[in-house]
Coordinates of all heavy atoms in Angstrom, one line a residue:
W76 N 130.2 50.4 5.5 CA 131.7 50.4 5.3 C 132.1 51.8 5.1 O 133.1 52.2 5.6 CB 132.1 49.4 4.2 CG 131.7 48.0 4.3 CD1 131.2 47.3 5.5 CD2 131.6 46.9 3.3 NE1 130.9 46.0 5.2 CE2 131.2 45.9 3.9 CE3 132.0 47.0 2.1 CZ2 131.0 44.6 3.2 CZ3 131.9 45.8 1.3 CH2 131.3 44.6 1.9
A77 N 131.4 52.5 4.2 CA 131.8 53.9 3.8 C 131.8 54.8 5.1 O 132.8 55.6 5.3 CB 131.0 54.4 2.8
L78 N 130.8 54.6 5.9 CA 130.8 55.5 7.2 C 131.9 55.0 8.1 O 132.7 55.8 8.6 CB 129.5 55.3 7.9 CG 129.3 56.0 9.2 CD1 129.5 57.4 9.1 CD2 127.9 55.6 9.8
A79 N 132.1 53.7 8.2 CA 133.1 53.3 9.2 C 134.5 53.7 8.7 O 135.5 54.2 9.4 CB 133.2 51.7 9.4
D80 N 134.7 53.6 7.3 CA 136.0 54.0 6.8 C 136.2 55.4 6.9 O 137.4 55.9 7.3 CB 135.8 53.7 5.3 CG 137.1 53.7 4.5 OD1 138.1 53.1 4.9 OD2 137.2 54.5 3.4
A81 N 135.2 56.3 6.8 CA 135.4 57.7 7.0 C 135.7 58.0 8.4 O 136.6 58.9 8.7 CB 134.1 58.5 6.5
L82 N 135.1 57.4 9.3 CA 135.4 57.7 10.8 C 136.8 57.2 11.2 O 137.5 57.8 11.9 CB 134.4 56.9 11.7 CG 132.9 57.5 11.6 CD1 132.0 56.6 12.3 CD2 132.9 58.9 12.1
T83 N 137.2 56.1 10.6 CA 138.7 55.6 10.8 C 139.6 56.6 10.2 O 140.6 57.0 10.9 CB 138.8 54.2 10.2 OG1 137.8 53.3 10.7 CG2 140.2 53.7 10.5
M84 N 139.4 57.1 9.1 CA 140.3 58.0 8.5 C 140.4 59.3 9.2 O 141.5 59.9 9.3 CB 139.7 58.3 7.1 CG 140.6 59.4 6.3 SD 139.6 59.9 4.9 CE 140.9 60.8 4.0
L85 N 139.4 59.7 9.9 CA 139.5 61.0 10.7 C 140.2 60.8 12.1 O 140.6 61.8 12.7 CB 137.9 61.3 11.3 CG 137.1 62.1 10.3 CD1 135.7 62.2 10.8 CD2 137.8 63.5 10.2
E86 N 140.6 59.5 12.4 CA 141.2 59.3 13.8 C 142.6 58.9 13.4 O 142.8 57.6 13.2 CB 140.4 58.3 14.5 CG 140.8 58.0 15.9 CD 140.1 58.8 16.9 OE1 138.9 58.8 17.1 OE2 140.9 59.5 17.6
P87 N 143.6 59.7 13.5 CA 145.0 59.3 13.2 C 145.5 58.2 14.3 O 145.2 58.2 15.4 CB 145.8 60.6 13.6 CG 144.9 61.7 13.4 CD 143.5 61.2 13.9
G88 N 146.0 57.1 13.7 CA 146.4 56.0 14.5 C 145.4 54.8 14.5 O 145.7 53.8 15.1
A89 N 144.1 55.0 14.0 CA 143.2 54.0 14.1 C 143.2 53.0 13.0 O 143.7 53.3 11.8 CB 141.7 54.7 14.0
F90 N 142.8 51.7 13.2 CA 142.9 50.7 12.3 C 141.5 50.5 11.7 O 141.2 50.1 10.5 CB 143.3 49.5 13.0 CG 143.5 48.2 12.1 CD1 144.5 48.1 11.2 CD2 142.4 47.3 12.1 CE1 144.6 47.0 10.3 CE2 142.5 46.2 11.2 CZ 143.6 46.0 10.3
G91 N 140.5 50.7 12.6 CA 139.1 50.3 12.2 C 138.0 50.8 13.1 O 138.4 51.2 14.2

Side-chain angles (χ1 to χ4, degrees):
W76 301 341
L78 175 60
D80 191 50
L82 293 170
T83 303
M84 181 191 184
L85 271 172
E86 185 87 64
F90 181 82

